[in-house]
Amino acid sequence: MDHIIFNFPHVGGKSTDVNRQVRYNQELLVSFFQRAIPSLAPGGSIVVTLFEGEPYTLWNIRDLARHSGLQVERSFRFQASAYPGYHHARTLGVVRNRDGEVGGGWKGEDRAARSYVFVKKDVEGRSSSIQRGTKRSRKQDDDSSDGE
């Protein structure tokens, strides 16, 4: 495969134990990387999208990928509009109000998220057809960065 995309991985569950949730989600990502890498075509990439902020930053996705034999080529802000028909599905399921009507929950497509493009460590200087960006400072980073 040229590109393998995993948007918003999460093991689910209602646990309030943040450390346990972080560990389970890290295990999910490591297993995903280990199984996805052999399916990559030469020069292929793996794209994983996570919401910004905690607890997702606690997962340390860059380190997990590095220990799996990958490196970050770049990252960019997730654009739900790039996926026609996309709408976020909550891990915990549909949110219902007190009357049992659907609605009332936040919309994931409106929440800040970042896509990380990973390539095998032995691949250098290749260009990608996913999305090409330029390196920007953190303050200017709306779309793309390979320096985060």
Side-chain angles (χ1 to χ4, degrees):
M1 301 186 159
D2 292 326
H3 308 290
I4 300 172
I5 301 173
F6 194 178
N7 288 332
F8 307 105
H10 197 283
V11 296
K14 295 183 179 182
S15 174
T16 57
D17 184 339
V18 174
N19 291 331
R20 180 177 295 158
Q21 281 290 321
V22 167
R23 187 173 61 251
Y24 289 165
N25 283 291
Q26 288 175 323
E27 290 170 1
L28 169 70
L29 286 169
V30 168
S31 293
F32 166 70
F33 289 142
Q34 289 173 344
R35 286 164 181 77
I37 290 170
S39 299
L40 278 180
S45 64
I46 296 172
V47 181
V48 178
T49 302
L50 299 176
F51 287 120
E52 293 185 351
E54 288 190 7
Y56 307 97
T57 53
L58 299 174
W59 298 3
N60 296 316
I61 189 170
R62 292 170 180 271
D63 289 336
L64 298 176
R66 184 170 36 88
H67 291 299
S68 297
L70 298 168
Q71 64 187 27
V72 178
E73 183 182 61
R74 72 187 173 287
S75 69
F76 55 90
R77 292 204 183 214
F78 175 74
Q79 298 294 319
S81 61
Y83 300 87
Y86 169 79
H87 69 279
H88 182 73
R90 289 177 46 95
T91 305
L92 296 176
V94 174
V95 174
R96 297 186 184 276
N97 65 19
R98 292 179 185 183
D99 298 326
E101 298 166 340
V102 174
W106 52 267
K107 293 184 176 183
E109 52 267 40
D110 296 335
R111 190 171 171 190
R114 181 153 297 274
S115 295
Y116 299 88
V117 180
F118 300 100
V119 296
K120 290 182 184 178
K121 281 186 181 177
D122 57 353
V123 177
E124 293 186 28
R126 69 169 196 83
S127 64
S128 171
S129 61
I130 291 280
Q131 181 172 334
R132 195 78 229 142
T134 58
K135 189 170 184 175
R136 298 180 185 184
S137 72
R138 185 78 169 145
K139 284 196 292 188
Q140 297 173 326
D141 183 29
D142 286 337
D143 296 322
S144 178
S145 173
D146 56 359
E148 298 184 32

